[in-house]
Amino acid sequence: MTTNELRSRYIDFFCSRKHKRIANASLVPEEDPTVLFTTAGMHPLIRYIQGQSHPMGTRLVNVQRCIRTGDIDEVGDDMHLTFFEMLGNWSLGDYFKKESIALSYEFLTSSKYLNIDPLRLSITVFEGEEGIAPDKESAGHWREHAIADKRIFFLGRKHNWWGPPGAVGPCGPDTEIFVERTGYENTTSEHILSNPERYTEIWNNVFMQFYKNAQGDYEPLRLRCVDTGMGLERTAAILQGKHSVFDIEVFAPIMEVVSQLVEKQEYYALSTRATRSAEEQSLLRAMRIIADHMRAAVFILGDEQTTEPSNNGRGYVLRRIIRRAIRYLREYRQNQQLYHLADTIIDTYKDAYPQLAEKKDSIVHSLKEEEKKFLTTLDKGKRMFEKLIETSASKKASKNLGAQKTNTTEDSQRNTHTLSGKNAFYLYETYGFPLELTKEMARERGFDISTQEFEQAAEVHKKKSRTIEHSSKGGLETRTRATTRLHTATHLLHQALRDVLGVHVAQRGSNITEERLRFDFSHPKKCSPEELAKIELIVNEKIGAHLPVSKTTTSLDAAVQSGAIALFTNKYQSEVLVYSIGDYSKEVCGGPHVTNTSELGTFKITKEGSVSSGIRRIRATLTT
């Protein structure tokens, strides 16, 4: 059964049981501000789980895209993924444990649906704790479906309890469904947690029957809900008799390209080999990480809510996984570009997710830009990392030698090495190494990193950079001659946009690198080629007019009264800087700027596209 068939069969089953299909929500959760990405199908339904009526009724079903990075270190094994699809069904005050378990059992075992031998199923339920009884009810319902006692396991909160998204809210026990992989023995009573290579969790049914109040007590809920989630890729691997999610049909074209990129050996032959050397195991893990991380990056970039690589929030997660994939590829190929893999991923998923094909150009562009940016510093950064490791190891050896002579310190008894958090921040700031990437490289060399020292170094840097961060334009990654020129050009671009499109245009974001500017602005529709050509012409005319750039200091009120554009008034101090470019542009801004537009060169718009509803984005360059 292919993944497309599994999606359809799941939806059809629950729709035939009076469930209504709901939309596949964005990867950026709108209902749960506590998380950066949608990690489960319940995120778009928080308010309905908490009691609000859903317009589609009390029985719901969907397929939800999810991003989880909590298990990112496990990616590369047989079953963990950063991006995955979750099949889910919900009862909002309708059916509860008995019906939920019956529906799951029927879908899994019926010959009309998945046709999994019931003897392959194992179950976990909540063992209870002080104040909360064991979930004997769920165990009893599983026994009604002939699941033997030796295949029902009572586990604690870590495994079988779903907590509220915040400090208070709905919560309750869950029951998890495991399937033995190919080659099972149906007489086993082995504990499922003792052999993850053999038992795979594919479905989790959460029973929200309590409300955790502000005092930490659990009260019975009046409206009891069911929230379930079945991993699409894991279930497909079981149905296709594959040992790994990376071996299923949807990954086949992706892994084929990865095999070509690393130029080592064909993935499937390596994955299905009975025994592998340590070198082959490392290669296999690297190939899977590359495929997983690039697939996740494509889906994040192709989402309805645009996320771009950056050093904050969702953008940082995106940057981290892209750069981690690049690093693994560079271990095997020095002259290969990873962004080419995006074409295959989009082609593989375009039928199920047509928005990927619609945003293909912007997805590839973002990946290409991020890869280009990282590759300019990756090799230098790795060399610096090795120097820092060598220096730290030498200091450790000297310290241990002194300790052995005096025998007055515990350090001589320990064999741990620590790379300074300040050094880790230096790699981050200078070479673009995310902290997690440096941590991973350090672990491979037997080193720890002080996260606290890293954060302290980051705070010191932030204080030094506060005037730059306060700038209303913001977005400068460095303060160099190139970024100063591009930053000045954004003033001309902003005014030209208002001249051509209308005074409703207002800046909504900016990001400037050494190579280009990116400018987000409010506008309800796509800019026509004629409009873009006119905007570009105006900017170049103002550059050619050799207009002086002047600066004054005044109050915010006086700046606004003088006609200066001031968009982020809640961020300004009582005294502000106003930059004027001749008589053409005047904005409240923190700088930096050139002294004359003649220093800018030729302005060229390279791309215009949508960011979100009512927000457009222009990318542009300057050439001398």
Side-chain angles (χ1 to χ4, degrees):
M1 188 183 297
T2 66
T3 52
N4 285 337
E5 291 169 339
L6 177 55
R7 281 194 208 97
S8 297
R9 199 165 293 193
Y10 184 87
I11 296 296
D12 291 346
F13 172 81
F14 281 97
C15 284
S16 71
R17 270 64 175 177
K18 300 181 181 180
H19 291 66
K20 299 294 185 181
R21 183 174 187 177
I22 58 175
N24 189 318
S26 167
L27 278 170
V28 178
E30 298 180 4
E31 303 292 342
D32 189 353
T34 65
V35 293
L36 294 175
F37 289 103
T38 298
T39 63
M42 52 74 63
H43 279 135
L45 296 170
I46 288 289
R47 53 178 161 164
Y48 305 109
I49 291 172
Q50 293 178 338
Q52 183 174 328
S53 297
H54 195 285
M56 299 291 283
T58 59
R59 295 187 177 205
L60 309 173
V61 62
N62 86 334
V63 182
Q64 178 60 50
R65 293 159 291 165
C66 299
I67 292 284
R68 288 184 188 175
T69 58
D71 294 329
I72 196 169
D73 290 334
E74 305 300 323
V75 172
D77 67 5
D78 291 332
M79 290 294 163
H80 284 89
L81 295 167
T82 305
F83 167 83
F84 59 93
E85 297 178 69
M86 185 73 84
L87 306 170
N89 63 280
W90 292 269
S91 165
L92 305 177
D94 194 315
Y95 59 80
F96 205 49
K97 295 180 182 180
K98 180 180 178 68
E99 297 86 347
S100 176
I101 289 171
L103 287 168
S104 296
Y105 182 83
E106 181 183 2
F107 182 69
L108 288 169
T109 63
S110 170
S111 59
K112 292 175 56 179
Y113 296 101
L114 301 194
N115 197 31
I116 295 175
D117 186 340
L119 294 175
R120 295 177 67 184
L121 301 181
S122 292
I123 308 298
T124 63
V125 296
F126 184 54
E127 69 179 5
E129 59 184 43
E130 185 178 354
I132 304 175
D135 191 9
K136 294 180 181 180
E137 181 183 355
S138 291
H141 292 317
W142 283 114
R143 293 188 189 101
E144 291 171 9
H145 297 286
I147 301 297
D149 282 344
K150 66 182 179 182
R151 286 185 170 273
I152 300 175
F153 302 93
F154 285 80
L155 300 177
R157 176 178 287 263
K158 177 181 177 181
H159 297 283
N160 285 92
W161 181 266
W162 186 84
V168 300
C171 54
D174 62 37
T175 181
E176 298 183 354
I177 305 169
F178 291 74
V179 180
E180 285 193 74
R181 303 191 199 180
T182 304
Y184 69 96
E185 298 174 10
N186 59 29
T187 58
T188 185
S189 60
E190 177 184 40
H191 198 295
I192 56 174
L193 298 183
S194 66
N195 193 348
E197 293 293 312
R198 180 170 178 173
Y199 298 90
T200 298
E201 178 205 340
I202 63 167
W203 209 342
N204 182 11
N205 295 21
V206 177
F207 305 124
M208 281 165 276
Q209 65 186 90
F210 298 103
Y211 185 91
K212 184 181 180 183
N213 62 31
Q215 290 71 44
D217 298 323
Y218 295 94
E219 305 167 354
L221 275 173
R222 178 188 60 82
L223 183 72
R224 301 187 302 178
C225 298
V226 176
D227 163 28
T228 88
M230 168 185 273
L232 178 76
E233 293 87 351
R234 288 188 176 191
T235 306
I238 294 294
L239 298 174
Q240 295 175 24
K242 303 298 186 182
H243 196 69
S244 166
V245 291
F246 295 96
D247 298 343
I248 64 177
E249 100 294 341
V250 76
F251 266 106
I254 300 171
M255 301 312 303
E256 181 179 351
V257 176
V258 173
S259 296
Q260 296 168 2
L261 288 173
V262 300
E263 266 192 356
K264 289 293 181 179
Q265 55 181 293
E266 195 269 329
Y267 166 78
Y268 195 71
L270 181 61
S271 178
T272 56
R273 187 171 299 164
T275 58
R276 291 183 289 267
S277 66
E279 182 179 350
E280 289 173 331
Q281 188 63 34
S282 295
L283 171 61
L284 179 66
R285 179 172 180 268
M287 293 171 75
R288 289 174 172 178
I289 289 173
I290 291 167
D292 167 85
H293 286 14
M294 287 301 291
R295 190 176 73 133
V298 165
F299 270 88
I300 293 173
L301 289 166
D303 190 69
E304 302 91 317
Q305 301 293 326
T306 300
T307 299
E308 291 283 347
S310 70
N311 287 336
N312 298 290
R314 279 181 285 273
Y316 180 78
V317 175
L318 176 59
R319 169 163 286 171
R320 175 189 175 191
I321 61 176
I322 293 173
R323 294 190 171 190
R324 193 169 188 249
I326 294 169
R327 180 238 166 174
Y328 274 99
L329 176 60
R330 297 283 285 190
E331 294 295 323
Y332 296 96
R333 286 289 301 280
Q334 290 296 307
N335 301 311
Q336 191 58 267
Q337 293 175 307
L338 194 56
Y339 70 86
H340 292 302
L341 186 56
D343 291 339
T344 303
I345 296 169
I346 293 170
D347 288 344
T348 300
Y349 282 95
K350 63 184 179 184
D351 292 336
Y353 297 101
Q355 69 267 29
L356 296 181
E358 295 168 4
K359 298 186 72 173
K360 180 176 180 178
D361 289 346
S362 63
I363 292 171
V364 172
H365 178 83
S366 294
L367 289 170
K368 188 175 183 179
E369 286 293 304
E370 183 65 12
E371 186 166 12
K372 177 182 177 183
K373 187 182 301 182
F374 190 40
L375 288 179
T376 58
T377 59
L378 176 60
D379 292 337
K380 291 180 181 178
K382 287 173 66 177
R383 288 195 292 271
M384 177 55 67
F385 170 81
E386 293 297 335
K387 289 181 180 179
L388 294 173
I389 287 289
E390 186 177 329
T391 300
S392 297
S394 297
K395 289 181 178 179
K396 175 73 175 181
S398 298
K399 187 175 182 180
N400 282 348
L401 181 61
Q404 290 170 5
K405 289 180 178 179
T406 60
N407 197 29
T408 60
T409 178
E410 293 181 4
D411 202 45
S412 61
Q413 308 300 319
R414 296 197 300 263
N415 194 32
T416 57
H417 298 278
T418 301
L419 181 65
S420 164
K422 292 181 180 179
N423 288 335
F425 182 76
Y426 175 75
L427 291 169
Y428 166 78
E429 178 64 19
T430 308
Y431 301 104
F433 279 38
L435 173 61
E436 290 78 10
L437 179 59
T438 304
K439 279 185 174 181
E440 184 171 10
M441 294 170 62
R443 277 198 305 270
E444 293 170 358
R445 301 292 301 275
F447 278 73
D448 293 328
I449 291 177
S450 171
T451 301
Q452 183 178 3
E453 283 187 6
F454 179 92
E455 293 171 351
Q456 289 171 347
E459 184 60 30
V460 170
H461 175 79
K462 185 184 294 186
K463 289 179 180 178
K464 290 180 179 178
S465 305
R466 188 132 306 170
T467 55
I468 299 177
E469 292 176 0
H470 177 66
S471 164
S472 66
K473 284 292 179 183
L476 274 73
E477 297 201 352
T478 56
R479 196 177 254 218
T480 65
R481 176 68 176 166
T483 58
T484 298
R485 291 170 60 242
L486 286 163
H487 176 68
T488 307
T490 62
H491 285 247
L492 296 175
L493 172 60
H494 194 181
Q495 187 58 50
L497 286 165
R498 293 167 65 90
D499 290 347
V500 175
L501 303 179
V503 294
H504 65 277
V505 169
Q507 178 189 335
R508 289 293 180 263
S510 177
N511 179 263
I512 296 172
T513 70
E514 294 279 332
E515 297 83 20
R516 56 96 182 119
L517 68 84
R518 191 185 75 205
F519 190 81
D520 296 348
F521 59 97
S522 54
H523 188 56
K525 61 181 180 179
K526 178 180 176 66
C527 299
S528 69
E530 293 76 17
E531 289 172 330
L532 292 174
K534 190 172 182 179
I535 292 164
E536 189 176 281
L537 177 63
I538 290 174
V539 173
N540 281 312
E541 285 179 346
K542 300 306 177 185
I543 292 173
H546 295 192
L547 299 177
V549 180
S550 60
K551 176 181 68 172
T552 59
T553 302
T554 184
S555 69
L556 178 60
D557 288 342
V560 173
Q561 290 173 7
S562 73
I565 297 174
L567 298 173
F568 308 100
T569 55
N570 63 322
K571 296 183 179 180
Y572 298 142
Q573 304 291 338
S574 56
E575 294 269 303
V576 297
L577 294 176
V578 177
Y579 280 86
S580 299
I581 304 179
D583 294 328
Y584 183 65
S585 165
K586 180 184 284 189
E587 290 193 37
V588 174
C589 184
H593 301 78
V594 299
T595 58
N596 193 286
T597 60
S598 61
E599 302 173 47
L600 299 184
T602 302
F603 178 82
K604 177 67 176 177
I605 294 175
T606 58
K607 187 176 181 62
E608 188 272 347
S610 173
V611 174
S612 60
S613 179
I615 306 296
R616 309 295 298 180
R617 170 172 292 168
I618 278 179
R619 296 176 188 266
T621 60
L622 288 172
T623 56
T624 54

